[in-house]
Amino acid sequence: SGAAVATAHGSSLLSIGTDTGGSLRLPSAWTNTVGFKPSYGTWSRYGVVSYASSLDTVGFIAGSMECAKIAWDCLQDDSGRTTEINGWNGNVCRDQTARIYHNHDDRDLQSKPRPRSESRSKPLESIRIGIPSAFSLEECPPFISRMWSVGAHHLRNVGGATLVSIPDSKVSSEWVKLSCAAYYVLACAEASSNLSRYDGVRYGLDLDLDADMNIPTFDENETNKFPELFEMNALE
């Protein structure tokens, strides 16, 4: 990930990117940076080359938690939503997903932003965080498991969040094991559809027909242009 390398090297304080299945979070874990993937639809995907439209999420990689918080605060208003002042206008946004996320309907209580209360001593007092027991995998290294527990207790003791234990009967460990397979089915199907437009006719390589009448075939055109991962997902 060029974004993670640039941030880890110190060339930039912040790198904007997209996360579909870990493209921000995994490189940040490998480079000791902070990868942030917000909820799907938080920021508009307009202008992003689509890979898997129902999974693509705009986020960023920062050098520290402090930088990540500054970036988040710059993109939010007091209600926790992005504002027209900061470049967001939900009425003219061409990204339908983000427009639904930001346009609040008074009849839908879940769509109302949570007002920030200055009287609260802890910032997460109104937040409930579920901890599924199915996420406690045997294959997880002990150090990672301890950090998971430390992070959860920090959210409760320092942030004031309410932790809710979710038993295996509610979120089955078998479902968790199948989630990766489900992801690849959805991601590869959407990637094949989205990348099919780059066929060298409407988009793709710019060919000079006068200079060379031997027009490459579709297969040759795509092979010379797409990385191996894209080719694999499109074929699947």
Side-chain angles (χ1 to χ4, degrees):
S1 170
V5 171
T7 305
H9 180 263
S11 301
S12 63
L13 296 177
L14 185 78
S15 296
I16 303 295
T18 57
D19 192 313
T20 305
S23 299
L24 289 174
R25 293 163 291 169
L26 290 177
S28 64
W30 297 328
T31 57
N32 197 30
T33 53
V34 178
F36 181 70
K37 178 190 178 185
S39 299
Y40 177 77
T42 300
W43 295 316
S44 174
R45 291 181 293 109
Y46 182 67
V48 173
V49 176
S50 297
Y51 176 73
S53 303
S54 67
L55 301 170
D56 292 342
T57 304
V58 176
F60 56 74
I61 295 178
S64 65
M65 286 297 297
E66 182 181 6
C67 291
K69 183 181 184 304
I70 293 174
W72 174 257
D73 290 341
C74 288
L75 294 169
Q76 307 300 310
D77 61 7
D78 289 338
S79 65
R81 305 286 183 170
T82 51
T83 63
E84 184 175 355
I85 297 176
N86 290 327
W88 168 259
N89 187 343
N91 296 323
V92 299
C93 177
R94 301 183 186 182
D95 178 3
Q96 180 66 18
T97 302
R99 185 161 64 245
I100 293 175
Y101 181 89
H102 288 277
N103 287 348
H104 311 300
D105 188 346
D106 292 338
R107 294 170 297 179
D108 185 0
L109 296 178
Q110 294 182 350
S111 67
K112 290 183 179 180
R114 294 187 180 93
R116 295 180 180 177
S117 175
E118 298 297 335
S119 60
R120 289 175 180 164
S121 58
K122 297 182 179 181
L124 302 180
E125 287 184 355
S126 63
I127 303 298
R128 300 173 72 229
I129 300 177
I131 307 293
S133 60
F135 286 0
S136 299
L137 304 178
E138 295 180 1
E139 299 82 0
C140 185
F143 172 76
I144 301 298
S145 298
R146 288 196 300 271
M147 290 301 99
W148 173 286
S149 299
V150 169
H153 286 88
H154 187 79
L155 290 172
R156 181 185 61 188
N157 299 332
V158 179
T162 301
L163 301 185
V164 180
S165 297
I166 302 177
D168 193 76
S169 59
K170 297 294 184 180
V171 178
S172 172
S173 57
E174 296 300 320
W175 296 354
V176 175
K177 294 178 182 179
L178 295 174
S179 60
C180 185
Y183 161 78
Y184 274 105
V185 170
L186 295 173
C188 292
E190 294 186 21
S192 177
S193 176
N194 283 326
L195 298 178
S196 65
R197 74 191 70 176
Y198 301 103
D199 51 13
V201 178
R202 293 167 298 170
Y203 307 97
L205 299 179
D206 186 12
L207 303 176
D208 188 349
L209 300 182
D210 295 330
D212 186 2
M213 294 302 295
N214 296 322
I215 302 176
T217 63
F218 173 83
D219 291 338
E220 293 173 345
N221 196 353
E222 296 303 294
T223 300
N224 292 332
K225 178 164 59 64
F226 280 144
E228 182 178 354
L229 178 61
F230 279 18
E231 291 180 30
M232 179 187 68
N233 290 335
L235 291 175
E236 289 180 353

